[in-house]
Amino acid sequence: MSPRRNRPKGAGSSGRTFEDDSGRYGGWQSSEPWRGENWSVRHVAGASAQGKSYRCPGCDQMIPDGVPHVVAWAEHAGVDDRRHWHRACWNARDRRTPGVQRSRNAPRF
């Protein structure tokens, strides 16, 4: 009988991989075309969003902490331009109006 393998087959010695990071945030990452450019889209589980709340650009409502959502950014722009979307808002992004009209006194996030 041979000893038990501690590493999965084919694992390189390069350290952390994309799969490690995607599991760390509780979701997976993909690339999707939208408005003529590629967008990186990461699906975030609710457990990794504890203690944080964001404003969805699709509906202009708050995403409370602990709610699963989508983080998207244009690939050419980088991660500094990430936006947090409700999953339904991200899926309906082409059916939404281009801008949300807010009152003058509404805070901008």
Side-chain angles (χ1 to χ4, degrees), residues 12-83:
S13 61
S14 62
R16 294 184 65 87
T17 62
F18 169 73
E19 287 80 16
D20 293 339
D21 286 336
S22 65
R24 177 175 155 195
Y25 296 107
W28 67 93
Q29 184 170 336
S30 63
S31 179
E32 296 182 20
W34 183 45
R35 291 188 179 169
E37 55 189 337
N38 286 333
W39 287 69
S40 295
V41 179
R42 179 175 289 159
H43 298 265
V44 180
S48 60
Q50 290 293 333
K52 303 172 190 172
S53 61
Y54 305 99
R55 184 167 296 275
C56 174
C59 64
D60 202 36
Q61 299 295 316
M62 293 300 291
I63 302 172
D65 65 334
V67 173
H69 61 279
V70 173
V71 180
W73 65 95
E75 288 182 352
H76 70 84
V79 295
D80 291 335
D81 293 324
R82 290 180 292 196
R83 295 295 173 258

